[in-house]
């Protein structure tokens, strides 16, 4: 059998580890051939491929990004998209496709497998950790570590100048990165998309810190929304899946805090730093195991499924279970962190 592999959506640390696990086990134990599709769903849509064998995956375990490239291409919105994918898979003699991605990439895989008979297996990837049916997605742990280190460093400069520092992290619909890194980094306020925040309360937390001569750190997810306001957008543009570009809540929040409290406030937007660089040990471990189990699913003909982490076990779940509903922060879990606010 020849198996196709693609990585779609935003890049994240651990993608190469998945590819390596798939190819190493698929070649060594099952005798499969592999072909990589470039730039997410654009690859099978346009027939753009790259050879994928054991020499191609040597040395990529610790590398960030993806050797296959990625994009936010939505083939379901392209003219004759399904027919073009089927034709290109047939030309390449591909008998199964492994899609590594998040909500949008796996949503396409679910429809291709369930409605159009294209045999797909999914691997969950997103630094946001917002896919249901899996305890963790790879890339999340690395992003949290990067954000936590940044918060640690910002504490010292905030204290030196006695100013407020607002740290904006990624998280469109789910505040997992903000919650984990904020709690680990000792933030004095954590604002997430799941809970609209009261600007007056945030300012009160800030002022309470200054009363004890302590410079506060506020961690805010890019998708957080004020109780009496709207989502802050970079501009009105949308990607092929209909997502608007988020950015600016950190700057907006810093200006409001400074205006209301009279305390100097600065913003640090971590942005794509959270996606880049070497994956953590946990993400290498998880991504490698996902790759090994994904190719097992192909061997067993378990198409339409996604590999998932449950405890320490890797299981198979319907791809639709992971994409129909996002995994968001439970209010009770968020409330636990509240003891450290202010």
């Amino acid at each position: 059998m020849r198996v196709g592999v693609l990585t779609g959506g935003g890049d994240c640390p651990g993608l190469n580890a998945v590819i390596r696990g798939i190819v190493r086990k698929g070649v060594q134990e099952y005798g499969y051939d592999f072909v990589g599709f470039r730039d997410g769903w654009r690859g099978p849509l346009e027939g753009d491929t790259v050879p994928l064998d054991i020499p191609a995956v040597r040395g990529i375990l610790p590398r960030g990004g993806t050797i296959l490239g990625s994009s936010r291409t939505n083939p379901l919105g392209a003219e004759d998209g399904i027919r073009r994918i089927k034709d290109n898979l047939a030309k390449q003699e591909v008998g199964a496709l492994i899609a590594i991605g998040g909500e949008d990439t796996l949503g396409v895989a679910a429809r291709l497998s369930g409605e159009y008979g294209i045999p797909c297996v999914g691997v969950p990837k997103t630094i946001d950790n917002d896919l249901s049916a899996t305890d963790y997605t790879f890339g999340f742990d690395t992003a949290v570590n990067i954000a936590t280190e940044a918060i640690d460093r910002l504490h010292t400069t905030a204290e030196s100048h006695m100013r407020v520092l607002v740290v904006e992290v990624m998280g469109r619909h789910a505040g997992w990165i903000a919650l984990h890194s904020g709690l680990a980094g000792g933030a004095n306020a954590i604002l997430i998309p799941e809970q609209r925040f009261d600007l007056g309360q945030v300012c009160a937390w800030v002022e309470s810190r200054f009363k004890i001569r302590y410079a506060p750190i506020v961690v805010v997810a890019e998708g957080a929304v004020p109780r009496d306001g709207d989502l802050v957008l970079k501009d009105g543009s949308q990607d092929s899946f209909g997502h608007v570009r988020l950015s600016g809540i950190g700057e907006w929040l810093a200006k409001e805090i400074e205006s209301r409290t009279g305390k100097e406030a600065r913003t640090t937007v971590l942005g794509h730093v959270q996606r880049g660089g070497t994956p953590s040990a946990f993400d290498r471990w998880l991504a490698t195991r996902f790759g090994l189990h994904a190719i097992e699913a192909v061997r067993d003909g378990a198409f339409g499924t996604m590999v998932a982490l449950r405890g320490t076990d890797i299981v198979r779940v319907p791809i639709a279970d992971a994409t129909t509903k996002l995994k968001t922060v439970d209010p009770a879990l968020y409330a636990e962190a509240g003891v450290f606010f202010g």
Side-chain angles (χ1 to χ4, degrees):
M1 180 188 286
R2 171 172 275 194
V3 179
V5 182
L6 65 84
T7 55
D11 68 298
C12 81
L15 283 166
N16 287 323
V18 180
I19 297 168
R20 173 178 174 268
I22 290 169
V23 173
R24 285 288 297 273
K25 185 163 187 172
V27 172
Q28 292 173 196
E29 296 196 11
Y30 307 142
Y32 291 163
D33 292 325
F34 290 89
V35 59
F37 287 99
R38 293 183 185 273
D39 303 333
W41 286 112
R42 187 190 70 79
L45 190 64
E46 299 181 5
D48 191 358
T49 64
V50 60
L52 203 54
D53 53 18
I54 288 180
V57 301
R58 286 196 183 114
I60 68 172
L61 175 63
R63 286 175 55 184
T66 164
I67 61 171
L68 298 178
S70 190
S71 73
R72 298 189 185 277
T73 302
N74 182 3
L76 301 179
E79 185 176 355
D80 280 339
I82 304 302
R83 180 192 58 78
R84 289 162 62 187
I85 288 176
K86 286 185 174 181
D87 288 348
N88 286 322
L89 293 179
K91 288 177 183 177
Q92 293 291 332
E93 299 180 329
V94 170
L97 188 60
I98 298 177
I100 310 166
E103 172 194 6
D104 297 322
T105 301
L106 295 182
V108 171
R111 290 195 60 188
L112 292 181
S113 185
E115 298 178 27
Y116 301 104
I118 297 175
C120 296
V121 167
V123 177
K125 173 267 344 169
T126 168
I127 65 169
D128 288 341
N129 196 41
D130 60 359
L131 286 178
S132 298
T134 184
D135 290 350
Y136 287 98
T137 55
F138 69 88
F140 171 68
D141 184 70
T142 303
V144 168
N145 286 335
I146 291 169
T148 301
E149 181 180 358
I151 294 167
D152 287 345
R153 292 177 180 275
L154 290 169
H155 270 295
T156 59
T157 185
E159 291 164 7
S160 297
H161 295 275
M162 289 304 293
R163 58 167 65 119
V164 186
L165 278 179
V166 177
V167 185
E168 182 183 310
V169 300
M170 286 185 169
R172 177 179 293 272
H173 301 296
W176 293 108
I177 294 176
L179 181 64
H180 281 239
S181 64
L183 198 58
N188 307 112
I190 302 170
L191 311 179
I192 62 175
E194 294 89 339
Q195 302 275 343
R196 282 182 173 261
F197 63 88
D198 183 335
L199 184 57
Q201 179 63 73
V202 174
C203 290
W205 288 332
V206 165
E207 290 178 319
S208 72
R209 291 286 87 187
F210 280 110
K211 289 178 181 178
I212 58 171
R213 301 240 356 122
Y214 189 92
I217 300 284
V218 178
V219 175
V220 57
E222 62 185 352
V225 182
R227 183 176 298 170
D228 300 319
D230 298 314
L231 189 66
V232 178
L233 305 178
K234 189 176 184 67
D235 52 49
S237 63
Q238 299 181 352
D239 63 20
S240 61
F241 289 97
H243 300 309
V244 293
R245 297 176 65 192
L246 299 183
S247 184
I249 184 63
E251 288 287 350
W252 178 88
L253 184 60
K255 289 178 181 178
E256 289 293 326
I257 290 173
E258 188 167 300
S259 173
R260 292 178 179 229
T261 67
K263 303 296 184 181
E264 183 182 5
R266 299 289 179 86
T267 305
T268 297
V269 180
L270 296 184
H272 288 81
V273 170
Q274 297 159 90
R275 292 193 181 279
T278 300
S280 67
F282 178 82
D283 279 341
R284 298 186 202 190
W285 171 84
L286 180 59
T288 297
R289 293 190 69 203
F290 275 164
L292 299 176
H293 283 263
I295 197 62
E296 282 186 6
V298 169
R299 178 203 60 183
D300 295 341
F303 302 119
T305 66
M306 180 192 83
V307 293
L309 180 69
R310 296 282 177 82
T312 58
D313 296 329
I314 305 296
V315 300
R316 298 172 190 167
V317 298
I319 300 177
D321 286 358
T323 57
T324 53
K325 181 181 179 181
L326 289 178
K327 180 177 67 179
T328 54
V329 174
D330 187 286
L333 189 61
Y334 179 67
E336 290 180 359
V339 69
F340 300 106
F341 296 174

